[in-house]
Amino acid sequence: MTKHIVIAALTFGTFILGTNNAKAQNTTATTTVNITLNDVISIDAGSTAIGNTVDFNYATAADYNSDQTITKANSLKVTSTKNFNVKVKAGGANFMNGTNLIPVNVLTIKAAAAAGTMGGTKTAVILSATDQTLVTNAPLGSALTLNLDYTIPAAKSSSADILGKPAGTYTQTVTYTATAL
């Protein structure tokens, strides 16, 4: 009978040990996902202010005696991870044609009536060689557009600033800078 008890104990022990060795399988997995952010501010490709020109033509008396405005759609396309300002300045004090000069303050730059998707406070700027704020506290966003009006008012085109200057093309660069707040 002890033999039966030993066999029964061994059988029971094997059964118990056998079920302990059958371990449960994993049914879940955990992974860590990291998102690394960097502050970005960019005047994006597609901005018509990049490598484009604004051409004013004075061919008739009416041209000299009236405001001339040229609207450029998507002048600036800005992506920024923070609110930002946009400043504008001329590359010098004058539009130049050889030694002939027209002061840059004949030109006003402002947001067009249909300004685009860029928010913020927009201010008309009389161009100068010093940075001036065109847009203040524009909200962050991606590919925000700003359509600009370039205007030479009749008061400037019919003044000595432009009248009496030799015929030709007068040129100056205009630089826009977007700065995160």
Side-chain angles (χ1 to χ4, degrees):
M1 172 154 180
T2 44
K3 193 176 189 187
H4 289 292
I5 293 175
V6 171
I7 291 175
L10 285 176
T11 303
F12 183 71
T14 303
F15 178 72
I16 295 295
L17 288 176
T19 55
N20 281 342
N21 285 336
K23 296 188 180 195
Q25 298 177 0
N26 288 334
T27 58
T28 62
T30 302
T31 298
T32 300
V33 176
N34 296 319
I35 299 174
T36 303
L37 301 177
N38 290 296
D39 289 333
V40 170
I41 187 160
S42 171
I43 296 177
D44 300 338
S47 298
T48 59
I50 298 174
N52 206 335
T53 60
V54 177
D55 294 317
F56 288 93
N57 293 305
Y58 289 88
T60 68
D63 293 338
Y64 285 93
N65 292 309
S66 61
D67 293 351
Q68 282 200 33
T69 298
I70 297 172
T71 301
K72 291 289 190 173
N74 298 320
S75 292
L76 297 174
K77 191 183 284 188
V78 176
T79 296
S80 181
T81 57
K82 297 190 179 293
N83 288 9
F84 61 96
N85 291 340
V86 176
K87 293 187 178 189
V88 60
K89 72 176 181 177
N94 298 293
F95 291 95
M96 297 182 293
N97 177 3
T99 59
N100 303 305
L101 307 173
I102 296 174
V104 295
N105 69 1
V106 301
L107 180 64
T108 300
I109 301 172
K110 67 177 185 167
T117 60
M118 186 182 297
T121 303
K122 295 161 185 82
T123 306
V125 169
I126 296 173
L127 190 60
S128 76
T130 304
D131 267 330
Q132 296 180 77
T133 304
L134 184 65
V135 180
T136 304
N137 199 27
L140 60 88
S142 179
L144 301 170
T145 59
L146 180 63
N147 304 324
L148 292 175
D149 282 346
Y150 295 82
T151 301
I152 298 178
K156 292 292 186 175
S157 60
S158 64
S159 75
D161 287 338
I162 292 179
L163 287 177
K165 304 292 182 184
T169 301
Y170 292 74
T171 304
Q172 185 53 265
T173 59
V174 176
T175 301
Y176 297 93
T177 305
T179 306
L181 299 178

